[in-house]
Amino acid sequence: NRFAIFAGRVHLMNGGARNFRGSAPTEQATMELAVNIAKKSQESQFFSWLQIFDRVTEKYTEYSIKNDGSLEERECPK
């Protein structure tokens, strides 16, 4: 799968592979999975952030998980 999803509670540099939550082959499937992870996190795991890493371009998009389980894109450092 091209896109990897990572999510966690506290945004620290020590998460790495432990924060891996899944992967998907397309952007659409990835966003569906990310939204599902965000919504479920409000019920049990309480994640506060989520990142989608594109294995081809080696770029990532970062999101805050809001209290209602929605995603809000963060500006990533260049």
Side-chain angles (χ1 to χ4, degrees):
N1 287 332
R2 177 176 175 170
F3 300 94
I5 298 175
F6 299 85
R9 293 179 190 199
V10 179
H11 200 239
L12 298 174
M13 298 300 288
N14 63 356
R18 288 188 326 206
N19 291 354
F20 177 74
R21 305 294 172 209
S23 63
T26 66
E27 287 184 46
Q28 181 179 348
T30 302
M31 284 310 297
E32 289 172 6
L33 180 56
V35 166
N36 190 35
I37 290 169
K39 286 183 179 179
K40 283 186 176 181
S41 80
Q42 298 313 105
E43 299 168 7
S44 60
Q45 297 171 334
F46 305 108
F47 299 144
S48 63
W49 61 270
L50 183 141
Q51 292 176 333
I52 297 174
F53 178 69
D54 183 331
R55 295 175 181 175
V56 172
T57 66
E58 296 187 350
K59 296 187 186 294
Y60 70 94
T61 307
E62 187 169 89
Y63 299 88
S64 293
I65 299 175
K66 308 306 274 182
N67 289 336
D68 63 358
S70 64
L71 296 171
E72 181 178 282
E73 189 171 344
R74 296 179 180 178
E75 188 172 328
C76 298
K78 303 269 182 208

